[in-house]
Amino acid sequence: MRTRSRQPIRWGLVAMATIWMMVIVPLSAVAAPYAALVMDARSGEVLHARNADTRLHPASLTKMMTLYVVFEAVENGEITLDTPLRISKHAASEPPSKLGLRSGSTIKLRYLIRAAAVKSANDAATALGEAIEGSEAAFARRMNRTAKALGMTRTTFKNAHGLTEEGHLSTARDMTLLGRHLFYDYPEYYNLFSRVTADAGIKKVYHTNRRLLNDYRGADGIKTGYTRAAGFNLTASAERGGERIIATVFGGRSTASRNAKVAELLDLGFREAPTRVAVNRPSKPVYMGKIGPGPADDGHSVPGGVGKTVRLASAAAVKKSLRPQLRPGEAIVAEATPNVGNKQDIEKALLAAAETITEEATPPAAQGSALPTATPKARPEDLVLASVDPSADTTPKAQQPAGDPVQKVVTRISTSGGRHWGINVGRYPSQYKAQKVLLKTALNEMETLDGSLRKVVKRSTGFDANFMGMTRESADLACRRLQAKQITCFMIDPGA
């Protein structure tokens, strides 16, 4: 009797254990839905897709966008690779995977980039976001603006690292597009994603997917990701014989099975892709710069700081330039071009330029005050500055009335008729690069930029490349034409 009475209990326990093993454990292992996409990176053609537009948790694939925005900020002079950054308590407290940053410590930007790209460090990603936009929330908003500009139509970012958060979602298609942009838009940084190890400043870090990098011929990146909600994700790229394939997998069951699936998809891509195809580079988005919180004043505006608005020149003339106006004392590197930002700077620049001007002209008839004598040995203390219309004839008269003094006149493009507008085509890390961009842009848009003056202005964070001496209409037209060619452009109104 005793033995028989225990039999049902045993069978009940066995049944419960079986249910646990067959239902509960497998559900946790396959909780994340599967999605995949394979793309020919050269043309952008999709070679295979499954659930590619389903919005899923991207996990640390998010860091591809974090790094994309950081590369953009460095390229445009917002920050440098060697800028020392102080680590916040918030960044230091992020859960693993992490570099081990301590609150209050400082570290150079380049080391945080390596840690985020190679080790997928969450604390490094948060620190990068705070360094660029001041807070992770503001950085997430910039990530979303950038994603939209890249054509990632079904992606929403809530943080810089990719840890699970409600509404933080993307798709296999969008992440593949992002991986393609990383390769084409920032080739100088792309090698980061193929480094098996890297010096991250405070320690050496190892790539989270070095197995695929070592085992799959031609693999050179890009990014892994894992959370319980996401499963094992990976966006991978490989190149063989001039062909480049990018594949993305969401919802892998394990690192090994995910890698095997990605290898299978890359093989499929190399089989299906044509041997020769015209390279169709994706268009690089227009640089928007830093845009903080603040009210917009019309439908063409985006926030631009407390009480200020940055307006996009593609829609209308800019009321507030993204770039601050020149202040007295800031260095000017120009091609014999006076700053037309304000009267004080105009006088400073013109006085400096006066030493190199040797043209002599007859003073205006209405001028009644005493003027400097002709051909002075030194620059006169009271030099008279005269604005001359570009269409006026400024050729010195051959004959001067006897006894009449001769005045040295400094000429500049007249601001009458509204020729005090300008455009900015970016901020660059060196004077040379800014000058190179100005020349290239002038050649690319000769019709609207003809007659404008190229000027490089040194700032604390880089060198602004400006065209000055334009009318409002010509500046607006030039900006719209340049932006249509995917060239950065903002209008500058010195009177704003």
Side-chain angles (χ1 to χ4, degrees):
M1 290 292 294
R2 186 176 300 174
T3 302
R4 290 177 182 175
S5 64
R6 289 181 178 179
Q7 196 70 15
I9 297 176
R10 286 194 188 127
W11 283 112
L13 291 174
V14 171
M16 290 178 63
T18 302
I19 292 173
W20 177 264
M21 293 299 294
M22 294 180 63
V23 178
I24 304 301
V25 174
L27 282 176
S28 65
V30 296
Y34 172 81
L37 188 131
V38 181
M39 178 181 289
D40 186 334
R42 299 166 299 170
S43 63
E45 180 186 359
V46 174
L47 305 174
H48 168 80
R50 181 175 175 187
N51 301 326
D53 295 309
T54 302
R55 283 164 57 84
L56 303 170
H57 296 285
S60 284
L61 299 189
T62 298
K63 294 185 179 76
M64 289 195 293
M65 178 58 78
T66 299
L67 292 165
Y68 187 97
V69 174
V70 173
F71 298 156
E72 178 189 56
V74 172
E75 180 183 57
N76 288 280
E78 292 183 48
I79 197 168
T80 72
L81 293 174
D82 291 316
T83 298
L85 306 177
R86 184 171 295 277
I87 304 304
S88 70
K89 183 177 180 181
H90 173 60
S93 65
E94 294 288 10
S97 171
K98 60 194 301 181
L99 181 60
L101 300 171
R102 294 185 179 181
S103 176
S105 64
T106 59
I107 187 171
K108 290 182 179 180
L109 180 84
R110 66 172 68 248
Y111 296 130
L112 295 179
I113 290 175
R114 294 174 188 175
V118 177
K119 184 177 172 56
S120 194
N122 296 325
D123 50 356
T126 297
L128 286 170
E130 292 175 341
I132 301 301
E133 285 290 333
S135 71
E136 190 173 19
F139 186 75
R141 290 192 291 271
R142 178 161 173 175
M143 293 169 73
N144 289 325
R145 293 195 302 271
T146 306
K148 186 176 180 181
L150 292 173
M152 299 169 63
T153 59
R154 296 184 60 78
T155 294
T156 304
F157 294 111
K158 297 288 187 177
N159 56 57
H161 42 67
L163 292 173
T164 303
E165 186 172 342
E166 185 178 358
H168 186 99
L169 300 168
S170 187
T171 68
R173 187 184 306 276
D174 282 358
M175 282 297 162
T176 306
L177 286 172
L178 177 55
R180 185 169 183 248
H181 272 280
L182 276 170
F183 175 76
Y184 281 109
D185 295 353
Y186 295 103
E188 65 270 36
Y189 297 110
Y190 186 75
N191 70 88
L192 282 166
F193 301 105
S194 62
R195 297 186 187 181
V196 176
T197 64
D199 175 14
I202 61 176
K203 66 181 179 181
K204 184 178 182 180
V205 294
Y206 297 87
H207 202 289
T208 55
N209 199 33
R210 52 189 179 275
R211 287 184 180 178
L212 184 70
L213 291 175
N214 290 329
D215 296 343
Y216 192 87
R217 181 169 61 88
D220 55 11
I222 304 175
K223 192 72 194 70
T224 62
Y226 168 77
T227 62
R228 183 171 297 177
F232 292 84
N233 299 350
L234 174 61
T235 295
S237 178
E239 189 273 336
R240 291 180 181 176
E243 298 177 18
R244 176 168 291 277
I245 302 297
I246 300 177
T248 296
V249 165
F250 275 63
R253 298 185 180 185
S254 66
T255 299
S257 64
R258 175 201 65 193
N259 287 356
K261 187 62 180 178
V262 167
E264 176 186 331
L265 292 174
L266 289 173
D267 286 342
L268 179 153
F270 285 117
R271 286 196 310 270
E272 298 294 329
T275 302
R276 294 185 179 181
V277 65
V279 175
N280 180 25
R281 288 172 169 268
S283 298
K284 196 172 183 180
V286 174
Y287 170 63
M288 298 276 297
K290 276 187 162 184
I291 303 177
D297 63 355
D298 65 7
H300 303 302
S301 303
V302 288
V306 179
K308 296 184 179 180
T309 299
V310 176
R311 299 178 62 195
L312 303 185
S314 59
V318 178
K319 293 298 183 184
K320 291 287 183 181
S321 169
L322 183 66
R323 307 294 188 211
Q325 298 300 321
L326 272 178
R327 299 179 177 84
E330 286 191 305
I332 300 177
V333 185
E335 297 182 0
T337 306
N339 174 38
V340 293
N342 53 60
K343 183 177 179 180
Q344 182 178 4
D345 289 331
I346 291 172
E347 293 176 352
K348 276 186 166 184
L350 289 174
L351 286 171
E355 295 177 337
T356 64
I357 298 177
T358 59
E359 179 182 5
E360 295 182 349
T362 303
Q367 185 103 16
S369 59
L371 297 172
T373 60
T375 61
K377 295 181 179 180
R379 188 179 69 189
E381 294 183 358
D382 298 324
L383 182 65
V384 177
L385 307 179
S387 295
V388 180
D389 193 309
S391 62
D393 182 9
T394 58
T395 304
K397 293 182 179 180
Q399 301 293 331
Q400 296 288 346
D404 280 359
V406 177
Q407 176 187 359
K408 186 178 291 292
V409 179
V410 179
T411 63
R412 64 179 172 88
I413 288 183
S414 172
T415 58
S416 63
R419 295 188 66 89
H420 56 281
W421 286 73
I423 63 173
N424 172 276
V425 291
R427 180 172 294 176
Y428 301 94
S430 69
Q431 175 187 341
Y432 170 77
K433 187 168 184 179
Q435 290 173 332
K436 184 177 179 181
V437 169
L438 283 173
L439 179 58
K440 182 177 179 181
T441 305
L443 293 173
N444 197 18
E445 186 53 42
M446 296 179 65
E447 182 177 345
T448 57
L449 295 177
D450 184 34
S452 63
L453 302 175
R454 302 195 301 272
K455 178 167 63 177
V456 176
V457 181
K458 185 177 180 181
R459 304 287 189 184
S460 59
T461 56
F463 294 81
D464 282 2
N466 299 336
F467 289 92
M468 303 303 298
M470 306 173 70
T471 65
R472 173 173 177 164
E473 291 75 17
S474 64
D476 179 45
L477 177 60
C479 255
R480 284 188 282 112
R481 288 172 62 97
L482 289 172
Q483 289 186 336
K485 299 175 182 178
Q486 301 299 316
I487 297 175
T488 298
C489 184
F490 293 96
M491 290 177 62
I492 301 173
D493 177 8

